[in-house]
Amino acid sequence: MIELIDVHKSFGENEVLKGITASVQKGEVVCIVGPSGSGKSTILRCINGLESYDRGEISVEGLKVDRDAPSIVKIRTQVSMVFQRFNLFPHRTVLENVVEGPLYVKKEPSAAAFERGRALLAQVGLAEKANEHPPQLSGGQQQRVAIARALAMQPKAILFDEPTSALDPELVGDVLGVMRKLADDGMTMVVVTHEMGFARDVADRVLFIDGGVIVEEGPAKSVLNQPQHARTQDFLRRVLHPL
Amino acid sequence: MKGFWHDAAEFFPILMSGVVLTIVVTIGSLLLSTVLGLVWAMMRVSGIRVLSLLSASLINVIRGIPIIVLLFYLYFVMPDLGVTLSALQAAILGLGIAYSAYQAENFRAGIEAIDKGQIEAAQSIGMGWWLTMRRVVLPQAVRIVLPPYGNVMIMMLKDSSQASTITVAELALQGKLIASSTFKNTNVFTMVALMYLTMSIPLILLVRHFEKRAGKK
């Protein structure tokens, strides 16, 4: 469904992606792990067209990702994104945040969009917060609203960019619970995360990235329990046993 | 003091006709400067180099010309080019264009103050540039822009007096005409100053309200 072939990306002199080749199948959950600055988020941002890439090719269901082409709108409505810092629209209510895309991008009828918006808020356990504004919610609640907003576009895949990194530890579980449910329902997901437990339990595959290249990839349990590459072993040891 | 109140009662109706024109010039040029300022600001942040450069140049040219020269140009030079404007039209157009540069910079600052994450979130759900502006950026920028916008309103009210230089009989010109025919300079110009102050005070309170609201946010 999502294909990356030899993707290169530089910010000035700094080459952050050095030939990434990977694919994500329909219904698959792929977690991308690796140290900070390794290029994990950049991959997601290139898939969604928030960043351009210099060389190689990215395609979503056969459609080439080109952030300057009109087709980017179609790709973005098919591949939603959930951000580390939620990026909800603070001037709109929770429900308005969720229906913004369906109403103004997909031009869905208002009644149907609002009805589905309420159902999605119920799905993420926030039905009673529909008329509040994002700043009135906790970080975990805001991230669940962001997931509902992504789902409202009825996407074929969702990209999660470190969705729990900005949350207090006690709020992480609620967000991961919603994501686990999505995975169980067959949603295609690409998740950049430091939550190794989530990756081990939920992901079908894990990509370990370091220095802009895929160092190791394979089934989640295999990569996370018996990493083959020394760099992966070192990273996992540091993450799982920081002391 | 008795003389002042006597003069006030006598000159008040004439000065009030000036007040009406002052308000017309202020509101007219405020609306025009807002629309033009928004256009310049949008061009500036459009990401299209040609539009951005054009807007930056226009803003610099407008800022570099004194308002009074702009008014003279519109009222005295334009007829030579075949465009004749009434004094009121020229005043509204001149002040509107002059202030559009300041409005544009104010609007641009407000737009650029919005977190980039907001724009990315809008883009990620498929919004184009204009929809992102309309639904996400501008509604949030308004809160940031309002306090300086209020200050511009006060400045425009006072600068509307420059319309007197091209014969618009607004408050300052009415005062000058009365003073020069009666020689009661002190009383007349005190009245004129008090009338400007009376119009400014509600605007000053409005700015304070905007600032408080923005501060709360």
Side-chain angles (χ1 to χ4, degrees):
Chain A
M1 185 189 175
I2 301 171
E3 291 275 352
L4 295 93
I5 302 168
D6 193 28
V7 174
H8 290 255
K9 166 74 184 173
S10 298
F11 290 107
E13 297 289 299
N14 182 22
E15 190 176 21
V16 288
L17 301 181
K18 299 172 181 169
I20 298 287
T21 298
S23 65
V24 180
Q25 306 305 315
K26 192 169 184 297
E28 199 178 21
V29 177
V30 174
C31 280
I32 303 177
V33 300
S36 297
S38 58
K40 309 183 298 289
S41 296
T42 307
I43 294 177
L44 293 196
R45 294 169 62 80
C46 286
I47 294 173
N48 198 253
L50 291 177
E51 296 285 354
S52 58
Y53 49 97
D54 307 325
R55 272 194 291 141
E57 185 166 316
I58 302 176
S59 61
V60 174
E61 294 220 300
L63 203 57
K64 187 185 172 189
V65 176
D66 176 356
R67 73 194 300 255
D68 298 321
S71 59
I72 195 66
V73 174
K74 190 179 176 195
I75 289 170
R76 284 172 177 161
T77 56
Q78 291 181 352
V79 182
S80 292
M81 183 129 174
V82 173
F83 298 88
Q84 184 180 351
R85 298 210 61 81
F86 333 127
N87 295 352
L88 294 176
F89 307 133
H91 58 301
R92 308 215 176 274
T93 67
V94 162
L95 182 58
E96 286 168 347
N97 264 276
V98 175
V99 301
E100 192 73 9
L103 276 181
Y104 293 96
V105 178
K106 296 180 90 176
K107 312 267 186 212
E108 287 180 17
S110 169
F114 276 99
E115 192 183 330
R116 199 153 45 78
R118 285 193 191 88
L120 286 168
L121 285 176
Q123 188 182 327
V124 298
L126 292 171
E128 76 286 0
K129 303 287 185 186
N131 296 319
E132 294 189 17
H133 283 78
Q136 296 171 280
L137 307 186
S138 70
Q141 288 171 331
Q142 290 192 52
Q143 194 59 295
R144 283 185 281 155
V145 174
I147 293 173
R149 179 173 69 180
L151 287 170
M153 297 304 286
Q154 298 178 302
K156 293 179 176 166
I158 303 182
L159 312 174
F160 293 86
D161 186 7
E162 301 197 31
T164 57
S165 296
L167 301 180
D168 291 337
E170 72 270 24
L171 302 175
V172 169
D174 290 342
V175 172
L176 291 182
V178 170
M179 291 170 64
R180 184 184 294 262
K181 177 81 174 52
L182 283 178
D184 291 344
D185 291 345
M187 174 61 76
T188 308
M189 295 162 58
V190 183
V191 186
V192 169
T193 185
H194 292 296
E195 298 289 340
M196 294 305 150
F198 175 84
R200 187 181 292 118
D201 294 346
V202 180
D204 297 303
R205 271 193 308 130
V206 165
L207 307 184
F208 174 70
I209 294 190
D210 190 19
V213 296
I214 298 175
V215 174
E216 188 166 348
E217 69 172 297
K221 287 188 175 59
S222 158
V223 172
L224 297 176
N225 293 341
Q226 288 118 24
Q228 300 300 307
H229 198 283
R231 184 67 192 93
T232 320
Q233 290 165 1
D234 183 50
F235 171 76
L236 289 173
R237 187 172 45 76
R238 285 168 191 269
V239 171
L240 298 172
H241 309 289
L243 298 178
Chain B
M1 195 65 186
K2 195 183 167 193
F4 176 79
W5 291 116
H6 179 266
D7 289 343
E10 188 184 346
F11 302 142
F12 187 75
I14 306 169
L15 291 176
M16 272 312 286
S17 69
V19 166
V20 170
L21 268 179
T22 290
I23 291 171
V24 169
V25 170
T26 304
I27 292 176
S29 51
L30 182 69
L31 291 176
L32 181 65
S33 69
T34 303
V35 173
L36 288 179
L38 208 52
V39 172
W40 307 150
M42 288 299 191
M43 286 165 68
R44 198 92 158 85
V45 299
S46 66
I48 301 168
R49 201 174 150 71
V50 178
L51 291 182
S52 182
L53 276 174
L54 182 66
S55 165
S57 309
L58 267 170
I59 289 169
N60 283 335
V61 168
I62 294 169
R63 275 200 298 206
I65 299 173
I67 294 174
I68 200 166
V69 176
L70 204 56
L71 293 176
F72 287 163
Y73 209 88
L74 286 167
Y75 191 57
F76 298 119
V77 179
M78 292 302 271
D80 293 345
L81 305 172
V83 181
T84 305
L85 299 168
S86 71
L88 183 61
Q89 286 169 337
I92 290 173
L93 200 58
L95 281 164
I97 291 171
Y99 269 91
S100 70
Y102 303 104
Q103 298 275 38
E105 290 299 89
N106 178 23
F107 295 154
R108 182 172 71 99
I111 289 168
E112 289 181 346
I114 302 301
D115 181 26
K116 292 275 178 288
Q118 292 288 299
I119 296 164
E120 291 187 345
Q123 288 177 337
S124 77
I125 56 173
M127 285 190 179
W129 185 86
W130 175 240
L131 196 56
T132 300
M133 278 291 155
R134 191 164 66 83
R135 297 292 307 170
V136 178
V137 176
L138 291 180
Q140 294 185 68
V142 163
R143 273 179 181 275
I144 300 166
V145 161
L146 273 180
Y149 187 80
N151 282 325
V152 167
M153 284 163 72
I154 296 167
M155 284 158 63
M156 289 188 86
L157 173 72
K158 293 188 293 179
D159 271 347
S160 67
S161 59
Q162 301 210 42
S164 64
T165 57
I166 55 168
T167 75
V168 177
E170 45 66 69
L171 180 56
L173 182 57
Q174 291 290 16
K176 191 180 161 210
L177 292 174
I178 296 168
S180 58
S181 60
T182 63
F183 301 105
K184 293 179 174 175
N185 292 330
T186 307
N187 286 352
V188 171
F189 287 121
T190 302
M191 280 186 75
V192 168
L194 286 173
M195 288 171 108
Y196 273 115
L197 197 60
T198 306
M199 288 187 279
S200 296
I201 284 170
L203 296 177
I204 292 167
L205 294 175
L206 193 66
V207 170
R208 195 179 296 174
H209 171 71
F210 289 154
E211 281 171 347
K212 267 191 190 157
R213 233 174 51 161
K216 263 188 204 162
K217 181 76 182 163

